[in-house]
Amino acid sequence: MLKRRICAVLVDRANYGRLKPVLEVLRDHPDVEFSLICGGTMVLERFGNATKVLQEDGFTIDGRVYMELEGSTPATMAKSVGMGIIEFSNELARIQPEMVLMIGDRYEALAVAISAAYMNLTLVHVQGGEVSGSIDESARHAITKFAHYHLPSTRRAADYLVQMGEKPESILGIGCPSSDLAKQFEFALNDDEINRFGSGASIDTTQPYALSVFHPTTTEFGGEAAQMQAVMVGLQSSGLPTVLLWPNIDAGSDHISKAIRRFREQHNTENWLRIVTNFEPETYLKVLAGASLAVGNSSSFVRDASYFGTPVVLVGNRQAGRERSEHVAHVPPTTDAVCSAIQQQLQHGRYSASDLYGDGNVSAPFVEALLKAPLYSQKQLSYVTEKEPLAA
C-alpha cells in the first residue's frame, strides 16, 4: 500500500499550538509520508523563530517560506499574500504532496490555499465556518471555498459550512485539536517556565496573575494605540502581576507595540509587568490555565480558556461573533469598560470548564478519516434547499 503524501503548513505561532496533536499523529503514522512547511512569522527571529520549538519536539522542517513585507499596514499585508503565493507554490511543487493540511484564517494561510487549489492538490482546512471580526473573517470563508475537506471546531461551524455550500461528507470531524493537548498533561506551572522567557517583573506562579494578548483589528487600522492604552490601564488597575505577549504581525501591530513601550516608559511597571515574545504550546496553555484573568482579544481566550474556565475580558471587535462560553465578558475597547469588566471577572473567579471547542479526542479520528478520504481537485457548490442542521 502506497503511503499518502500529506504536507502540513504552519504560518504563525498559534498554528502549532492548535495543530500539534494532529501533526504528531501524522508524523508517526505508518501509512503517511509526512512533510512540514513553515512560513509567515513562524520563521522570523523577532517572533521567537517558532521552528526551533518544532525541531526540539522532533519535527523536521522540510521547507521555509519568507513572505512577510515590513510595515504592518494593510498594503504590506496584501502584498505579502502575493509573495506567499509565489513562495508556497515553489515549495509545494518541490515537495509534491497529494494533500495539504492547513489551519485558520490568516492572510498567509490564504496564500497557502490559493497555491494548493490552483496546483490541483487536495486541500484540508481546520477551523472553517467560524464567525469573528477583522479581515480574518473574509479570509477564513475564502479558504473554505478553496478547501476540499474540513475539520470545523464546533457544531455550529459545521452547520455554517453546509449552509455555505460545502458537502456534509467533506466534514471529517468536529472539534479543535488543541483540546487534545489540553487533556494530555498536568497543568502544574513553576516560576521558571514563565520567567525564562521575555523580560520584566518575575512572576510568582503560586499567586494570582493575569495574562494579556492584544492583536490589531485590521479593519479598524489607526485606532490600535488608544485600544492598547485602555488594556494597559485595565491591567494596571487589576493589581495583578501580568504576563503580556507582544502582538502578531498584522496591520497596526507597530502601533500596539509602540503603545506598550510608551506605557512602560510613563509608568512604573517593573514590579508587575513581564513581556514575552512567544511560549511553547504546552507552556502557553499552562500559563492560560493558571491565570486568574485573561485580558485582550486572542482567539485562544475564547477557545482554549474555555477548557480551563479562566475568566476572560474580551476587548474589541477582533473576535466579535465567535462562539464563546460563559467565561467570556465581551466589552468595547474603552478604559472604563475594560476596568469595570476586569473587576467583575475577578470578583466572579473561575468558571466551569467547557467542551464547546472539543472533548480531547479529536486528532486521531480526524487523521483516520483523512486517510480514507478520496483525493480530488474539482469542487462544486452543494445547493442547500432547506436549512437542515447536521445530525448530532
Side-chain angles (χ1 to χ4, degrees), residues 241-284:
T242 298
V243 181
L244 172 69
L245 269 68
W246 290 109
N248 64 21
I249 202 172
D250 286 355
S253 65
D254 287 348
H255 301 158
I256 291 176
S257 297
K258 186 175 181 179
I260 294 171
R261 294 188 181 98
R262 183 186 300 116
F263 189 92
R264 191 170 54 181
E265 292 169 357
Q266 295 175 349
H267 300 81
N268 180 16
T269 63
E270 294 181 359
N271 63 344
W272 67 272
L273 182 65
R274 186 168 195 86
I275 304 181
V276 175
T277 299
N278 194 23
F279 284 121
E280 299 157 353
E282 289 89 350
T283 302
Y284 178 78

Side-chain angles (χ1 to χ4, degrees), residues 226-227 229-231 233-234 237 313 315 331-344:
Q227 295 177 7
Q229 174 71 11
V231 171
V233 172
S237 74
V313 175
V315 182
V331 299
T334 63
T335 300
D336 289 346
V338 172
C339 290
S340 176
I342 284 174
Q343 294 307 315
Q344 291 175 17

Side-chain angles (χ1 to χ4, degrees), residues 347-359:
Q347 290 175 11
H348 184 282
R350 193 161 297 275
Y351 290 79
S352 299
S354 168
D355 62 358
L356 174 63
Y357 281 96
D359 60 3

Side-chain angles (χ1 to χ4, degrees), residues 45-71:
E45 192 65 42
R46 71 184 176 98
F47 287 90
N49 197 350
T51 55
K52 296 177 181 177
V53 177
L54 272 76
Q55 291 171 318
E56 291 171 358
D57 288 342
F59 289 98
T60 299
I61 313 300
D62 299 285
R64 288 176 168 81
V65 167
Y66 295 89
M67 56 173 289
E68 303 287 4
L69 273 68
E70 285 289 347

Side-chain angles (χ1 to χ4, degrees), residues 95-141:
I95 293 173
Q96 295 190 334
E98 296 170 311
M99 273 185 167
V100 175
L101 172 67
M102 53 166 295
I103 184 171
D105 48 27
R106 294 194 52 75
Y107 60 89
E108 301 97 335
L110 179 59
V112 176
I114 294 172
S115 299
Y118 273 90
M119 295 174 71
N120 293 325
L121 303 174
T122 300
L123 181 65
V124 184
H125 182 214
V126 178
Q127 292 184 353
E130 298 182 21
V131 178
S132 69
S134 187
I135 192 63
D136 296 350
E137 170 88 0
S138 299
R140 183 184 312 111
H141 301 325

